Amino acid sequence: MPSVTATTRTRLTPAERREQLLGLGVRLLADRSLDELSIDLLAEEAGISRGLLYHYFGNKTAFHEAVVRHAADDLIAQTAPPAGGEPLDRLLVSVAAYVDYVTANFEGYVSLVRGAAGGNETLRGIYEEVREVLSERIFLEDAQGELVHDTPRNRLVVRGWAAMCEELVIAWRTDPGEVSRDELLGIITGALPALVDAVAPRR
Amino acid sequence: MPSVTATTRTRLTPAERREQLLGLGVRLLADRSLDELSIDLLAEEAGISRGLLYHYFGNKTAFHEAVVRHAADDLIAQTAPPAGGEPLDRLLVSVAAYVDYVTANFEGYVSLVRGAAGGNETLRGIYEEVREVLSERIFLEDAQGELVHDTPRNRLVVRGWAAMCEELVIAWRTDPGEVSRDELLGIITGALPALVDAVAPRR
DNA sequence: CATCTTATTGACACTTGTTCAATATCGCCA
DNA sequence: TGGCGATATTGAACAAGTGTCAATAAGATG
């Protein structure tokens, strides 16, 4: 058993190392905020020198951006609507997948969202992009407009609805109270058509 | 005209200096994010030494918290419902005041919200507190429950509605499109009863 | 006008981000 | 199998910003 520092540097392929560091970055976010994720901490946790992180990511913010992008891609992939079935059912499944994803990865998800929403231009861009993708599915899956016609006004409404969903899921997961998962899903999915109707320009 | 440094230190009362620094802090937030607001920058801008800031606020995060609290109190005061009139009218006026406040102080408001929502425990606490106060008014002013009965479920709904409002106002102010201020107000105020109805547990 | 309180300063120690020449690991080929 | 070369990796040095504190001077008070 070596004393304190067993300095046998291990050499990975760039792809492997990148993957390791990004994965570790995402994992560490469960316990810390994005800007508490210092280069020092990550280097120590990964068992590498600080310099190596700069070799791979250039600087701290670029690393943060890479981590957020990594997690964002993961979220988007995990909540993709299923291939078959009725359009509206596919949406339901996708929304449910979103709720379950947040439930399962709560700390990391919250940390990510807060870090990205409060971060620099690029970070917010990624955050916006995720919302955009999730919202876009509404119009993409519901091509006939059974639920929501694709109008500029309704785009705004869906945007607001998405913000509401994020808040609701986080609030619910923090304290479910007496509301079950299915009831939450009911609230979320019921809210969209209600909003669309309420906001429809009167003729 | 003194050369570069006219070092005549001016001595203010603690209250004056505190006020000056907080006001300057809030003002500087219009052009920078919260964590780009370094002690260095603020000291230079205020024409004082860094040490003085530490004398008044202890450390950087404490200063941030004080700035955010200052701005939050301002927002709450400026959107207070009027004294007289119908309960529902008072709410309308208050919501309108909120929209106008955000419109007038846009850069600073966005910077504040992002900084606070993405910040530490205390910062988020202040952010939550503001939302809490704004939401609380709904139930306070509408004591008879004409609009929303005070139930746990509706508290959740109002919370989601508040998040939606924030998003809508920011999105609208960023790009109003063809939506007028009054239409936006219509959307916001129309959304609340619609949500409440949609979410009501069926009997 | 002298004195005393205390608002204010400036220099110093320390943490954290960033750079880069030097080092050592591992695949490859003789 | 053993040396060689490409390059993944390191560590020391530097920059910038945070936090500390004994020393200083502005302005009120008598």
Side-chain angles (χ1 to χ4, degrees), chain B:
Chain B
M1 183 168 154
S3 66
V4 181
T5 46
T7 25
T8 24
R9 60 166 79 166
T10 43
R11 183 188 174 118
L12 303 183
T13 70
E16 285 172 334
R17 184 112 277 166
R18 234 187 115 83
E19 194 62 25
Q20 176 212 359
L21 295 177
L22 286 178
L24 181 60
V26 172
R27 225 171 315 127
L28 287 179
L29 272 182
D31 300 324
R32 276 142 280 283
S33 78
L34 196 55
D35 57 56
E36 283 166 356
L37 187 62
S38 70
I39 299 289
D40 259 333
L41 175 69
L42 197 121
E44 181 168 4
E45 208 73 24
I48 60 168
S49 68
R50 281 202 311 276
L52 195 57
L53 245 125
Y54 284 94
H55 175 69
Y56 277 104
F57 298 98
N59 60 36
K60 190 189 172 184
T61 64
F63 176 65
H64 284 171
E65 289 163 13
V67 168
V68 171
R69 166 125 277 143
H70 193 74
D73 290 345
D74 188 39
L75 168 63
I76 289 176
Q78 299 238 18
T79 61
E86 287 290 312
L88 264 50
D89 280 341
R90 293 212 297 262
L91 278 181
L92 277 192
V93 172
S94 178
V95 169
Y98 170 72
V99 170
D100 293 338
Y101 183 90
V102 175
T103 302
N105 305 66
F106 190 61
E107 288 80 8
Y109 176 79
V110 169
S111 203
L112 243 324
V113 165
R114 286 185 180 147
N120 64 33
E121 193 88 12
T122 307
L123 240 28
R124 284 204 311 279
I126 299 175
Y127 175 73
E128 288 290 331
E129 187 192 310
V130 171
R131 273 210 184 158
E132 191 58 33
V133 169
L134 299 188
S135 300
E136 188 65 22
R137 285 176 182 162
I138 302 290
F139 299 104
L140 225 58
E141 296 291 317
D142 180 33
Q144 280 84 25
E146 296 178 54
L147 206 59
V148 195
H149 282 284
D150 190 352
T151 68
R153 203 184 183 97
N154 278 346
R155 292 241 160 204
L156 191 65
V157 171
V158 168
R159 193 188 174 108
W161 174 77
M164 193 187 79
C165 291
E166 191 175 292
E167 173 69 20
L168 285 181
V169 176
I170 289 180
W172 173 78
R173 164 63 212 252
T174 302
D175 171 24
E178 304 170 353
V179 182
S180 71
R181 165 181 175 280
D182 287 344
E183 283 177 314
L184 177 68
L185 283 175
I187 292 178
I188 288 179
T189 54
L192 183 55
L195 284 172
V196 170
D197 286 349
V199 161
R202 62 218 59 162
R203 305 145 257 175

